[in-house]
Amino acid sequence: MLISGMRNFRDNSVRVAVIGGLSDEKFLSKIEPLVKLENVEKVYLCRWRGNVLAQYDKVQNLWICEHEIVCSNHLLRVLHDVICMFRLVLLTIHGKVDLFVGVYLYPYGLYAGVLAKLFSKPFVLVTPGSDLREYTASRKGQRIFKSASFIGVRGSDSKDKLSHMGFDRQKIFVLHNVLHKIVEPHQIAAPSDIHYDLIYTGYLRKLKRIDVLIKVVLQLKCMGFDSIKCAIVGDGAEKKKLIELAERLNVLQNIDFIGYTDNVGKYLKRAKIFVLTSESEGLPMSIIEAMAFSLPVVSSSVNDIPDIVDHSVTGYLVNPNDIEGFSGYIYKLLVDEPLRVQMSLSSYNKVASLYESSFSFDSIMNVWRTILLRAKTSADHN
């Protein structure tokens, strides 16, 4: 029951229903290359965060409401989902949807998977970067994965894990986020121009383990870096707890909680080392952006991160929650400036070498183009 009634695929055009959440930036990175494909005729968007694709005439938002109102009211979000699903059912009954895309497993992948199965349409599941074990730990999660015609993951490790779990490797595609531009490698700044020794950018969520980073700052202070400065750029539910922890450990004066900004580069170019202490990741855009700004990376060695961080070349990989390991490698980079300069250039060169093939807008478009071609081929054989 993979595909039936795919008239538009046979005419080399397709109408897509996209159901998803995520932040505006991450959502656009995954979906805008699909929208811009020449054979995508129509996109029906079901997203409670609002229509970030409004500039495209081919995109029809299925919910008309103020973004802030929906975001602040759980009942309105449930109502939004019900209305969107009802409208998608009607559109599909009238033959106006050829392909379903779910961005994130719960609840959006579930919605897309159920509708795709109900109408015998193809279903693309786009997963974010967190550990795939979260998605395959339950039978329901496994059923959703196995019902997908295609699965988009963040890197080779995720693809290997799914393959080892029994998923068809031919259905799995590496779908990176878009790095919209590759900057020229900045000159290693003079000491007076660099304000931060360490920097983290991203959400302040529990699995990011920013508490480990705060304890690393404390450890480095104990190793003689009394004036060490760390920038934490981003917002999230853990922010209050993290500030309290920094205050309790007497390192609040060493850490600037910047909050959300749409100009991350402003802080990256004023820092020496990018640090990521997550216990679970895919291939985070934050690392790629940091390397594009010529920063060496000290990161947890989890999931797809080794795809981009070469140990002892572009940075260092550390076991999750290893405070001593993080502190030791950061110390090494802070006291050995020639080493840090060398790793900075290697970091930039790694991202620059992969940009056109992996992180550019066109490269992500090509992945979507291949997925649609596979779907059309399947339709032609049914």
Side-chain angles (χ1 to χ4, degrees):
M1 293 181 64
L2 177 60
I3 302 173
S4 66
M6 296 295 293
R7 177 187 57 80
N8 268 37
F9 262 131
R10 298 177 194 277
D11 295 339
N12 201 34
S13 62
V14 60
R15 293 166 293 192
V16 184
V18 178
I19 310 170
L22 297 179
S23 67
D24 290 352
E25 182 181 8
K26 288 185 177 180
F27 186 83
L28 281 172
S29 287
K30 296 177 187 300
I31 299 302
E32 191 174 12
L34 168 66
V35 172
K36 290 198 73 172
L37 282 175
E38 58 281 351
N39 60 328
V40 172
E41 174 187 317
K42 190 76 175 179
V43 176
Y44 300 104
L45 181 62
C46 179
R47 184 173 181 272
W48 64 263
R49 286 182 179 272
N51 185 5
V52 292
L53 295 162
Q55 72 270 29
Y56 295 99
D57 292 337
K58 68 171 74 174
V59 176
Q60 179 181 339
N61 192 22
L62 297 185
W63 175 255
I64 307 299
C65 186
E66 290 293 333
H67 175 202
E68 292 77 9
I69 295 175
V70 179
C71 283
S72 61
N73 190 304
H74 179 71
L75 288 178
L76 274 180
R77 284 176 59 180
V78 173
L79 178 62
H80 159 266
D81 288 347
V82 171
I83 291 175
C84 277
M85 295 310 102
F86 179 72
R87 295 187 69 181
L88 282 177
V89 167
L90 292 179
L91 286 166
T92 312
I93 288 173
H94 288 89
K96 294 184 177 181
V97 177
D98 304 308
L99 173 76
F100 287 92
V101 176
V103 183
Y104 215 98
L105 186 65
Y106 295 121
Y108 313 111
L110 175 62
Y111 295 158
V114 169
L115 290 174
K117 185 174 182 179
L118 181 65
F119 292 102
S120 298
K121 301 292 183 181
F123 159 42
V124 182
L125 175 62
V126 180
T127 64
S130 48
D131 194 336
L132 292 177
R133 287 176 299 180
E134 296 179 18
Y135 306 123
T136 56
S138 69
R139 290 184 178 180
K140 181 169 68 173
Q142 291 175 16
R143 284 197 296 268
I144 297 171
F145 265 86
K146 290 180 179 178
S147 71
S149 308
F150 306 100
I151 303 172
V153 297
R154 293 300 309 278
S156 61
D157 183 76
S158 295
K159 185 171 183 175
D160 289 342
K161 281 181 178 177
L162 279 177
S163 180
H164 292 152
M165 291 173 187
F167 296 101
D168 184 353
R169 195 173 184 85
Q170 298 303 311
K171 294 168 51 175
I172 308 169
F173 290 82
V174 175
L175 196 64
H176 294 297
N177 284 355
V178 175
L179 180 63
H180 286 285
K181 62 180 179 178
I182 185 76
V183 296
E184 291 297 321
H186 74 282
Q187 298 295 319
I188 300 301
S192 59
D193 296 326
I194 289 211
H195 189 68
Y196 297 108
D197 299 291
L198 313 177
I199 187 169
Y200 162 83
T201 63
Y203 289 128
L204 307 186
R205 299 170 56 197
K206 190 172 182 179
L207 63 79
K208 299 291 185 179
R209 295 307 306 268
I210 310 301
D211 60 312
V212 172
L213 174 56
I214 293 171
K215 292 171 185 176
V216 167
V217 172
L218 174 62
Q219 180 75 7
L220 288 165
K221 282 190 71 173
C222 294
M223 296 168 74
F225 291 98
D226 291 336
S227 60
I228 191 167
K229 201 70 175 176
C230 175
I232 295 177
V233 183
D235 218 333
E238 293 288 300
K239 184 174 182 178
K240 182 178 178 181
K241 292 181 182 178
L242 294 171
I243 292 174
E244 291 173 351
L245 175 63
E247 190 170 22
R248 190 163 64 249
L249 297 179
N250 196 30
V251 292
L252 187 57
Q253 70 275 17
N254 300 96
I255 301 174
D256 285 352
F257 287 87
I258 304 298
Y260 172 79
T261 177
D262 57 4
N263 187 10
V264 174
K266 172 184 175 182
Y267 297 94
L268 288 172
K269 65 184 180 182
R270 299 180 66 200
K272 295 179 181 178
I273 304 165
F274 183 85
V275 184
L276 185 70
T277 50
S278 299
E279 64 184 18
S280 177
E281 282 287 353
L283 184 58
M285 201 63 204
S286 58
I287 282 184
I288 298 167
E289 289 173 338
M291 293 173 68
F293 275 88
S294 302
L295 293 185
V297 174
V298 181
S299 171
S300 304
S301 182
V302 292
N303 302 104
D304 301 307
I305 289 175
D307 280 4
I308 193 73
V309 179
D310 299 320
H311 186 71
S312 298
V313 179
T314 62
Y316 295 105
L317 297 170
V318 186
N319 290 328
N321 306 322
D322 183 359
I323 295 172
E324 296 291 333
F326 275 103
S327 303
Y329 284 126
I330 292 169
Y331 179 90
K332 188 175 182 178
L333 287 170
L334 289 176
V335 300
D336 191 341
E337 185 172 354
L339 174 65
R340 181 171 61 82
V341 170
Q342 177 186 336
M343 283 197 171
S344 296
L345 294 175
S346 295
S347 235
Y348 172 82
N349 289 335
K350 178 66 179 274
V351 169
S353 69
L354 293 173
Y355 177 71
E356 291 297 336
S357 63
S358 300
F359 304 123
S360 68
F361 198 96
D362 286 345
S363 70
I364 310 304
M365 282 184 70
N366 285 334
V367 176
W368 278 112
R369 187 176 286 114
T370 302
I371 291 173
L372 295 187
L373 179 62
R374 294 272 184 91
K376 180 183 184 300
T377 301
S378 297
D380 289 343
H381 291 160
N382 282 273

